[in-house]
Amino acid sequence: MSESEDRPRDGGLVARSVEEFVAQLRGFTDRATRLAAGAVPSGLSLPRLPSPPGAMSAAQVRSIAASVKAQRQLIEGLVGQLQAFDEQLAVFERILDPLVEWSSTWARLEESFADVVRRAPTDRPADQEPPSA
């Protein structure tokens, strides 16, 4: 006989050990549940356990996703308002350009008149006589 025929296969042994462990774990859980149910007086009820962590995570992620979506919609609205404001400023700028040019021309005109007015009567040439009263 060869060596492989003499040794029993370990696959069956491992499968049986896992099955025995699961059966023992089930038995322990059942006994603990019965003990806990008998330990609580009939008028009281056990507090409800919170939802499993996976469900809480899903709810939190859903909440975050809704918050992000709302913020993006808010930003979209703000972008629209900013674009409208920018268009208004562009119109205002086009209106102001001619006014700036006009006020510059007016300032030059006032300055030239101020130069004429600033010349005192003493600046007249010597051949002119002052008007007599």
Side-chain angles (χ1 to χ4, degrees), residues 20-113:
E20 287 174 11
F21 174 73
V22 169
Q24 288 175 359
L25 189 60
R26 279 189 189 137
F28 173 76
T29 306
D30 290 341
R31 282 191 303 272
T33 304
R34 281 192 302 270
L35 283 173
V40 176
S42 60
L44 297 175
S45 63
L46 291 173
R48 199 168 155 220
L49 295 175
S51 59
M56 288 190 318
S57 281
Q60 289 170 346
V61 170
R62 225 179 350 268
S63 173
I64 291 169
S67 174
V68 168
K69 184 177 181 179
Q71 288 175 351
R72 292 198 69 228
Q73 288 174 342
L74 177 67
I75 289 172
E76 186 178 331
L78 289 173
V79 166
Q81 290 177 349
L82 287 173
Q83 285 175 340
F85 185 61
D86 184 51
E87 290 172 9
Q88 291 171 354
L89 287 176
V91 169
F92 190 56
E93 191 175 27
R94 284 193 303 264
I95 291 170
L96 284 176
D97 283 341
L99 290 175
V100 167
E101 192 63 37
W102 178 83
S103 65
S104 297
T105 304
W106 186 258
R108 284 193 306 270
L109 182 64
E110 284 179 339
E111 190 176 307
S112 65
F113 278 122

